[in-house]
Amino acid sequence: MKTALRQIIVTAFILLIVFTGVQFTLQSFKVEGASMEPSFFQDQYVLVDKLTYHFRSPQRGDVIVFHNPRSPSQLYIKRIIGLPEEQIEIREGRIYIDGKELEETSDFPQIPYSDNCSVTVPPDHYFVLGDNRNHSSDSRSLGPIPAENIIGKVWLCYWPPSEWGLSPEYSAALE
C-alpha cells in the first residue's frame, strides 16, 4: 500500500513539474482576423515560445505575440520590422530603416500610399507590422511596442492539421 501511494505522489509531482515547465515556456494562441495573411489565417492555432527572448533579443522578421499597449488584455500577433533606436519611415508604400529601403518577401500586400509615417523606435521597443499591410492595427497606429509587452515568438502552427508546421520563413534585406 505504501509503495502505491508513493508512486502516485511521485507521478503527481512529475506531472506538476512538467505542467509548470510547459506553462513557463509555451503558450497557445488563436489567430483572430486577417492582419497576418498570407503567413497566418483566421482561426489558426499557434504555439508561442516564451523562453527564447530570455536569452536573446527579438530580431527583425520574428513573428511575435504581445499585449496591446492600449488595451493590455488584448493579444496581437505581428512581425517585427524595426529594432530599438532605428529610424523607421514609411512613404509611398515603402519601408525605410535608417534611410535604407527594406526589401521583403514579395508575398505581402503593399502598404497603402496614404499610410506614411516616421518614427524613431525608443530603446527597449519594437516597430511591428501585420503581413497584410492593408488590414492591420500595428505600430502605424499603436506606436512602437515595449519589450515588456512581448509574450514570445511564434514557433509552430498546430491547428488546423493541414497547416501544421514551423512559422513561415521571412526574408528581408536593407538596400
Side-chain angles (χ1 to χ4, degrees), residues 100-171:
K100 297 178 182 173
E101 185 175 354
L102 181 68
E103 293 290 331
E104 296 183 286
T105 306
S106 62
D107 299 341
F108 306 148
Q110 187 174 16
I111 297 172
Y113 275 69
S114 61
D115 284 0
N116 294 334
C117 75
S118 180
V119 63
T120 298
V121 182
D124 297 321
H125 286 68
Y126 295 87
F127 190 90
V128 298
L129 292 175
D131 288 352
N132 187 352
R133 307 291 162 75
N134 297 320
H135 302 286
S136 179
S137 291
D138 46 40
S139 287
R140 292 174 288 177
S141 59
L142 300 172
I145 305 303
E148 64 196 31
N149 286 38
I150 298 174
I151 292 172
K153 179 180 178 179
V154 173
W155 173 53
L156 175 82
C157 176
Y158 68 91
W159 193 263
S162 61
E163 298 296 324
W164 190 91
L166 297 176
S167 184
E169 289 294 318
Y170 170 81
S171 66

Side-chain angles (χ1 to χ4, degrees), residues 61-132:
D62 288 355
V63 176
I64 60 170
V65 171
F66 62 93
H67 294 277
N68 175 349
R70 295 184 181 168
S71 180
S73 63
Q74 288 182 317
L75 298 180
Y76 281 8
I77 179 173
K78 305 292 178 208
R79 185 176 304 280
I80 294 176
I81 299 299
L83 303 175
E85 302 183 27
E86 289 183 330
Q87 173 69 34
I88 308 298
E89 186 175 4
I90 298 175
R91 67 177 190 275
E92 298 178 357
R94 301 187 187 285
I95 302 167
Y96 297 89
I97 299 173
D98 293 333
K100 297 178 182 173
E101 185 175 354
L102 181 68
E103 293 290 331
E104 296 183 286
T105 306
S106 62
D107 299 341
F108 306 148
Q110 187 174 16
I111 297 172
Y113 275 69
S114 61
D115 284 0
N116 294 334
C117 75
S118 180
V119 63
T120 298
V121 182
D124 297 321
H125 286 68
Y126 295 87
F127 190 90
V128 298
L129 292 175
D131 288 352
N132 187 352

Side-chain angles (χ1 to χ4, degrees), residues 32-62:
E32 308 254 348
S35 73
M36 285 303 291
E37 291 179 5
S39 301
F40 298 96
F41 296 89
Q42 172 78 27
D43 296 331
Q44 277 187 314
Y45 283 86
V46 297
L47 283 179
V48 177
D49 168 6
K50 300 189 319 186
L51 195 59
T52 294
Y53 295 148
H54 291 286
F55 300 103
R56 72 164 177 85
S57 297
Q59 305 295 307
R60 187 178 341 276
D62 288 355

